Amino acid sequence: MKLNIISLLLLLIATCSWAQDKNTSASAEMQRIPIDPIIIDGEVTGVPDGTRVMFAFRIKKSDIYSTAHYTLIDTIRNGKFHIEKKFIYLDEKDSKDNVDYMLDINGCDLYIYAYQGANVKVTGRPDMQSLHWRAESNHPLQKELDEYTDYKRKLLTGINEKTQEKEESGNDDEMLVKLQNEKDSIYIVSMLDFMKNKECNSVFAHELWGISFRSHRLGSEMLSNRIRNLIKEKVPNEFNDQFISRSKQELVPSSEHLHVGDKMIDFTLYDRNDKEHRLSEFAGKKIVVLQFSTVSCGPCQAIKPTIEEFYAKHKNEVEVITISCDGTETWKKEKRVSWPDWNDHASGSTVGSKFEIPGWPFYVIIRPDGIIGSTFLGTEEMRKYIATF
């Protein structure tokens, strides 16, 4: 009897193992099913033949569109271009979450939302405000983007008509700056009224960043407060989009920014194994050089050999910490360096929001006593700093 029970149990275990292996095998086989490409056919006006067209895509919403690793290129011929985004298999890079892409012609961007297998038609006249060209795709967010575009076109037309007389009578730079600030204020207020009735999604996130950037440039705390309130009302805590992170960074009050001579505050950062680190680990021990960097920043990549040499010579007295301003997925794929290369899981906004960062690479020098000794932008300034040792 006992032998029969044992035999039955062994048979059940074997059957379960076979079923599990079969399911695993079937799952793996599904991963190998080829996916139809996204085909972009464009017909544009006002663009010279030979002009480059770049098609960039980001790895999930937590990343920005990377023109360094994930870009396809074509050129305008007889006013037309053709790009195919091919997918080998459904893997981490080509997941079903990746539905938003970006076309760029001479710095004029058009955002495209499409599922795999879409045949996207792009038409119009590219301009810096992306109001006169559009795409037709198989994704509902593309129609949502069109609603924003149509609203902005009418809005800007109305603003220009209202301010045309002032613009024509303006004869000095100060007057023109005031007029542009007036236009930006009207634009932000109108977009806030429009967006309070829209859902939070990728389109919403990108438009939010646009008005946050304008508000930061204006220095209007009143408008910034209204945008912060919109974020509280519309953006769920679990909605992880890099444009939301960048918006929050733009909205940090100037009174909260750190400057040379201030005491550096502590932050939590993560290495590529997701182990937590604190800036305070080096307090009282070394000079700390923070480098804010992105994978798409050419100068950030070009200076790496110089920093490698510098760090090898001076790591006992200086700690270099690169803070990635990319999404976590992109950052983890970047080539490793010999010094700490960390991420705050918020595209660098947690630390970066405490400084007015005009571009990359941006450097913050922290003395051993924790006081910010200097800040500067660019590789040439970094080379000058290295030469002082």
Side-chain angles (χ1 to χ4, degrees), residues 291-307 334 339 359-363 377-383:
Q291 179 199 45
F292 293 86
S293 170
T294 75
V295 69
S296 59
C297 165
C300 300
Q301 309 308 315
I303 200 171
K304 280 183 177 181
T306 303
I307 297 179
E334 194 172 358
W339 62 90
W360 299 295
F362 182 77
Y363 297 90
L377 173 70
T379 56
E380 289 307 310
E381 292 300 316
M382 182 56 180
R383 288 191 175 95

Side-chain angles (χ1 to χ4, degrees), residues 279-349:
L279 290 181
S280 56
E281 292 175 23
F282 309 102
K285 302 174 184 176
K286 299 180 180 181
I287 297 170
V288 175
V289 177
L290 300 182
Q291 179 199 45
F292 293 86
S293 170
T294 75
V295 69
S296 59
C297 165
C300 300
Q301 309 308 315
I303 200 171
K304 280 183 177 181
T306 303
I307 297 179
E308 286 279 9
E309 183 179 347
F310 169 71
Y311 188 66
K313 290 180 180 178
H314 301 286
K315 60 184 177 182
N316 290 330
E317 53 187 315
V318 180
E319 190 61 63
V320 178
I321 301 173
T322 292
I323 299 177
S324 172
C325 297
D326 293 306
T328 305
E329 298 288 344
T330 297
W331 161 64
K332 285 189 174 181
K333 289 179 173 62
E334 194 172 358
K335 186 178 178 181
R336 292 177 181 266
V337 291
S338 60
W339 62 90
D341 175 15
W342 296 340
N343 190 291
D344 63 357
H345 291 178
S347 306
S349 63

Side-chain angles (χ1 to χ4, degrees), residues 184-195:
D184 284 344
S185 295
I186 297 171
Y187 178 87
I188 293 170
V189 171
S190 298
M191 287 300 294
L192 283 167
D193 290 339
F194 179 73
M195 293 173 68

Side-chain angles (χ1 to χ4, degrees), residues 89-363:
Y89 301 112
L90 186 59
D91 57 17
E92 181 182 12
K93 191 167 69 174
D94 294 329
S95 82
K96 289 183 179 179
D97 292 333
N98 299 343
V99 297
D100 46 335
Y101 305 87
M102 182 183 72
L103 271 176
D104 178 277
I105 299 179
N106 284 343
C108 305
D109 300 332
L110 173 66
Y111 292 89
I112 291 176
Y113 298 87
Y115 295 119
Q116 289 89 350
N119 195 324
V120 181
K121 303 295 182 183
V122 175
T123 56
R125 184 181 79 250
D127 58 38
M128 293 306 292
Q129 295 173 325
S130 302
L131 300 179
H132 299 285
W133 66 320
R134 63 177 62 205
E136 297 179 10
S137 80
N138 62 351
H139 198 285
L141 284 182
Q142 196 68 52
K143 294 181 180 178
E144 178 103 351
L145 178 61
D146 289 345
E147 291 178 13
Y148 277 89
T149 301
D150 291 341
Y151 180 81
K152 288 191 293 183
R153 185 172 59 248
K154 292 177 183 178
L155 171 61
L156 289 171
T157 299
I159 292 174
N160 289 333
E161 288 176 352
K162 288 179 181 178
T163 58
Q164 184 176 3
E165 186 176 340
K166 293 182 182 179
E167 196 165 13
E168 290 173 352
S169 63
N171 54 10
D172 59 71
D173 291 341
E174 185 178 349
M175 177 69 165
L176 292 176
V177 169
K178 287 182 179 178
L179 186 58
Q180 185 58 53
N181 289 345
E182 181 183 339
K183 288 182 177 181
D184 284 344
S185 295
I186 297 171
Y187 178 87
I188 293 170
V189 171
S190 298
M191 287 300 294
L192 283 167
D193 290 339
F194 179 73
M195 293 173 68
K196 68 183 181 183
N197 297 316
K198 305 298 287 184
E199 291 184 15
C200 178
N201 50 39
S202 295
V203 181
F204 180 96
H206 181 259
E207 297 295 340
L208 183 73
W209 178 64
I211 61 173
S212 299
F213 178 81
R214 290 188 188 223
S215 176
H216 176 79
R217 188 173 61 188
L218 284 173
S220 171
E221 190 59 22
M222 181 272 291
L223 290 175
S224 293
N225 275 332
R226 286 196 59 181
I227 299 173
R228 292 188 197 104
N229 289 334
L230 182 68
I231 293 174
K232 289 179 183 177
E233 293 172 7
K234 304 292 292 188
V235 181
N237 291 332
E238 65 274 11
F239 187 77
N240 181 26
D241 190 295
Q242 196 179 84
F243 285 120
I244 299 295
S245 298
R246 290 191 167 196
S247 297
K248 291 178 179 178
Q249 185 170 336
E250 297 284 0
L251 297 170
V252 172
S254 57
S255 60
E256 295 182 14
H257 288 155
L258 295 171
H259 304 89
V260 173
D262 290 342
K263 184 81 172 179
M264 184 64 183
I265 60 178
D266 205 7
F267 290 97
T268 300
L269 298 163
Y270 303 87
D271 63 25
R272 298 193 191 201
N273 296 318
D274 289 325
K275 181 181 177 181
E276 288 189 7
H277 297 273
R278 306 282 293 180
L279 290 181
S280 56
E281 292 175 23
F282 309 102
K285 302 174 184 176
K286 299 180 180 181
I287 297 170
V288 175
V289 177
L290 300 182
Q291 179 199 45
F292 293 86
S293 170
T294 75
V295 69
S296 59
C297 165
C300 300
Q301 309 308 315
I303 200 171
K304 280 183 177 181
T306 303
I307 297 179
E308 286 279 9
E309 183 179 347
F310 169 71
Y311 188 66
K313 290 180 180 178
H314 301 286
K315 60 184 177 182
N316 290 330
E317 53 187 315
V318 180
E319 190 61 63
V320 178
I321 301 173
T322 292
I323 299 177
S324 172
C325 297
D326 293 306
T328 305
E329 298 288 344
T330 297
W331 161 64
K332 285 189 174 181
K333 289 179 173 62
E334 194 172 358
K335 186 178 178 181
R336 292 177 181 266
V337 291
S338 60
W339 62 90
D341 175 15
W342 296 340
N343 190 291
D344 63 357
H345 291 178
S347 306
S349 63
T350 304
V351 189
S353 62
K354 295 299 180 181
F355 300 92
E356 294 218 49
I357 299 179
W360 299 295
F362 182 77
Y363 297 90

